[in-house]
Amino acid sequence: MTLKACKKEEKMDRGFQKKFKFEGSINVLTQMMVDPAATEKRGGAKNLPLRPGEILDVIQFTNQEQILCRNSQRRYGYVPRAVMLPL
């Protein structure tokens, strides 16, 4: 990884921590897959855009309805638990 790419990732992580008021280091708890039968959803202010069959990194289980996740483009957001499947 180049120095430029590393700095870009660090900047994205700091932005995530500020936006979601997340404290501490960012650790991946597990990976989950978006239900292939789910419809594609556009993201919102704090919601992650979803593609059926996409593998997401779980950062935090926030409540009974939502999970805080990161996709392969290092974008962060909330995802409904109803559309997630364990790997």
Side-chain angles (χ1 to χ4, degrees):
M1 185 180 291
T2 65
L3 180 62
K4 186 176 182 179
C6 187
K7 286 188 178 199
K8 183 178 179 183
E9 284 186 6
E10 286 177 12
K11 183 177 179 183
M12 290 177 77
D13 289 347
R14 283 193 308 270
F16 154 74
Q17 289 176 326
K18 184 177 179 183
K19 182 176 182 179
F20 290 93
K21 296 177 177 72
F22 189 85
E23 305 229 352
S25 62
I26 300 170
N27 297 321
V28 176
L29 302 176
T30 187
Q31 289 187 324
M32 296 181 87
M33 181 173 73
V34 177
D35 188 356
T39 58
E40 191 167 319
K41 293 187 179 185
R42 301 180 82 192
K46 290 190 175 183
N47 294 328
L48 194 61
L50 300 177
R51 291 189 315 254
E54 181 179 26
I55 305 294
L56 300 175
D57 296 330
V58 176
I59 306 299
Q60 184 181 41
F61 292 98
T62 55
N63 57 36
Q64 294 296 327
E65 289 92 34
Q66 295 181 336
I67 304 172
L68 185 58
C69 295
R70 174 177 67 194
N71 66 12
S72 59
Q73 291 87 33
R74 294 191 67 84
R75 292 199 173 141
Y76 297 89
Y78 292 112
V79 177
R81 281 191 185 218
V83 298
M84 298 299 287
L85 300 173
L87 288 178

